[in-house]
Amino acid sequence: MSTNSAKLRVAALQMVSTTVLEQNLAEAGRLINSAVAEGAQLVVLPEYFCLMGQRDTDKLSIQEPAGAGPIQDFLADQASRHGIWLIGGTVPISCAKPDKVFNTTFVFAPNGEVVARYDKIHLFHFIGHTQKFDEAHTICAGTTICAFETPIGRVGLSICYDLRFPELYRALGDCVLLVAPSAFTYTTGRAHWELLLRTRAVENQCYMLAAAQGGRHDSGRRTWGHSMLVDPWGKILAVHKEGPGLVIGDLEVNRIQTVRQSLPMQRQQGVYADA
């Protein structure tokens, strides 16, 4: 981690994505413009930003091979046009099984080049009184964790349901920022969203930035929203509760160092490894 007093202005964009790809790309572009106008240097889009279908299988109709397609082209153009780090929510990327896709986050550098790819590892499975979700029906699970380097430090990638698996974040190593493009349901979000985000920030002593879907979608599904930036002490720096919008704030390396010096958890890890 950098030892200087560097800052990075970051933004998480919240959307209520529709069933029409072109509408969603236009809305993402509008929100990116707003974030850049407020000085954002790193921008995160929500999970499924490009499509929230009537059915889970709808994402198959807009799948792209890795490295080519209108969604990836849009993201690369936005990153290079604005000169920002762009964490592109998730994109349905073709896998070996014709009836499934990867749920993939691509990271684009300020020159528009892809510098990281993360395929969602943990697939959401929920059985409630009136709702049932099983992403494994349409998604191939990833197998590899992923982080990338920025001028002020390492950024760890995760997606939505990954938030429930703390071992993933520990395995990402010494990060200044963890990100989580998400589409939490209203039910699970109301119960656990803030709790999980603040916990991941506190136990890893770094910033947590989550971009969410937040509202009532064409299918009738309601997502929780509450896109959020949390600091290494677990303090919520910014939140956008519902509807389209953004949260924005400064990631400060000095703040991370202060927290880690006052509570030196990282030096105390591993004492139970052989127990």
Side-chain angles (χ1 to χ4, degrees), residues 93-275:
I93 295 297
S94 302
C95 66
K97 298 181 179 180
D99 58 343
K100 294 185 179 183
V101 291
F102 288 114
N103 194 19
T104 299
T105 294
F106 288 108
V107 180
F108 297 82
N111 63 2
E113 296 297 318
V114 174
V115 294
R117 169 184 173 172
Y118 170 63
D119 299 326
K120 187 177 184 179
I121 292 175
H122 301 103
L123 303 184
F124 183 47
H125 191 132
F126 175 71
I127 302 172
H129 294 299
T130 60
Q131 293 176 307
K132 181 178 180 180
F133 297 93
D134 189 355
E135 287 186 321
H137 284 157
T138 56
I139 295 175
C140 290
T143 58
T144 306
I145 64 172
C146 183
F148 68 99
E149 296 294 333
T150 71
I152 68 165
R154 184 175 176 88
V155 177
L157 302 177
S158 65
I159 300 170
C160 201
Y161 190 55
D162 285 334
L163 280 169
R164 297 183 183 274
F165 299 87
E167 58 273 20
L168 181 152
Y169 297 92
R170 190 69 83 203
L172 286 167
D174 182 7
C175 293
V176 298
L177 174 67
L178 301 170
V179 298
S182 299
F184 256 59
T185 68
Y186 188 88
T187 301
T188 59
R190 181 173 56 182
H192 301 142
W193 174 251
E194 179 183 323
L195 173 67
L196 289 168
L197 291 175
R198 295 179 70 189
T199 301
R200 297 293 87 86
V202 168
E203 67 192 7
N204 292 286
Q205 296 184 310
C206 66
Y207 288 86
M208 183 87 219
L209 182 64
Q213 295 281 349
R216 184 76 66 177
H217 300 270
D218 294 345
S219 64
R221 176 179 173 181
R222 187 178 180 187
T223 45
W224 176 243
H226 291 76
S227 295
M228 195 175 296
L229 175 63
V230 183
D231 87 350
W233 196 248
K235 179 181 178 181
I236 298 173
L237 300 180
V239 62
H240 184 83
K241 292 184 178 180
E242 193 168 22
L246 61 90
V247 297
I248 192 161
D250 291 326
L251 187 162
E252 301 183 46
V253 170
N254 280 349
R255 177 60 175 155
I256 299 172
Q257 294 170 340
T258 298
V259 168
R260 293 182 179 182
Q261 288 166 4
S262 63
L263 194 62
M265 291 168 50
Q266 295 197 345
R267 297 204 300 268
Q268 298 170 311
Q269 293 177 27
V271 297
Y272 46 80
D274 298 326

